[in-house]
Amino acid sequence: MQHNSIKILPIEKIISILSYLTMGIIGLVWILIAHFSKKKLRYFLMYNIVQSMLISIFLAIFKLILNILFSILSLIPFINIITAKLNYIMSVRILIFPIFNLSFNIIEIIIHLILIYIIIGTLMGKIFFIPYLTNMLRKLLKSYN
């Protein structure tokens, strides 16, 4: 529980978690619903919704840059061998739950672990510090509160 703050409603926690799990889509829908019903979202919910959207944008940009970088490096002799091995290591699927045939690659596992960490913090009603992102969000939402 947070000290020196307002009690966070269960619906805020649920919407925040759903926003992280859907990479911001549920949060965007919730913002639109709040806008059309003329209601203001509380800081905790707005912070988590915007953070989930920014994380999604950063992940998309990261994947795009990584794909471009691997494409360029694969054209360079001798480096293309290292690039191919690195690309293979990063794309190897690890079978997590054999019954459901659920598998992830290394990057997906890291992303899911970070999301689980953030979701657990959200369930506890806390806002976690993510370098650069948290500072940017505080500046963005400064006038919101």
Side-chain angles (χ1 to χ4, degrees):
M1 192 171 262
Q2 288 180 326
H3 71 286
N4 295 338
S5 66
I6 328 170
K7 184 167 173 38
I8 295 161
L9 303 173
I11 189 70
E12 292 177 319
K13 292 178 183 179
I14 292 169
I15 297 301
S16 295
I17 290 168
L18 289 175
S19 186
Y20 285 114
L21 293 176
T22 60
M23 294 301 184
I25 294 173
I26 294 292
L28 181 62
V29 170
W30 199 256
I31 287 174
L32 291 173
I33 290 170
H35 175 72
F36 289 119
S37 65
K38 307 277 192 247
K39 295 194 179 184
K40 187 174 180 184
L41 297 177
R42 291 176 20 160
Y43 183 82
F44 177 82
L45 181 58
M46 191 65 174
Y47 180 90
N48 283 303
I49 289 172
V50 174
Q51 180 169 279
S52 68
M53 287 188 230
L54 287 176
I55 288 173
S56 303
I57 291 168
F58 287 143
L59 284 175
I61 291 170
F62 175 73
K63 286 175 83 173
L64 179 68
I65 290 171
L66 204 58
N67 285 336
I68 292 170
L69 184 65
F70 277 145
S71 297
I72 292 170
L73 291 176
S74 68
L75 299 173
I76 302 171
F78 301 114
I79 294 179
N80 62 355
I81 297 169
I82 297 168
T83 304
K85 289 185 188 247
L86 186 60
N87 194 17
Y88 175 75
I89 289 170
M90 288 175 38
S91 65
V92 168
R93 308 229 22 113
I94 300 169
L95 194 60
I96 304 294
F97 295 110
I99 297 170
F100 302 110
N101 198 19
L102 184 64
S103 62
F104 298 102
N105 65 28
I106 302 294
I107 292 176
E108 289 171 341
I109 289 173
I110 292 169
I111 291 168
H112 284 91
L113 288 174
I114 292 169
L115 283 177
I116 289 170
Y117 173 73
I118 292 171
I119 287 170
I120 289 171
T122 302
L123 280 172
M124 294 172 16
K126 295 184 179 182
I127 294 176
F128 284 97
F129 180 79
I130 299 173
Y132 302 110
L133 184 62
T134 302
N135 293 334
M136 185 171 52
L137 277 172
R138 285 185 181 153
K139 288 177 186 174
L140 183 67
L141 296 174
K142 187 177 186 179
S143 63
Y144 186 77
N145 208 9

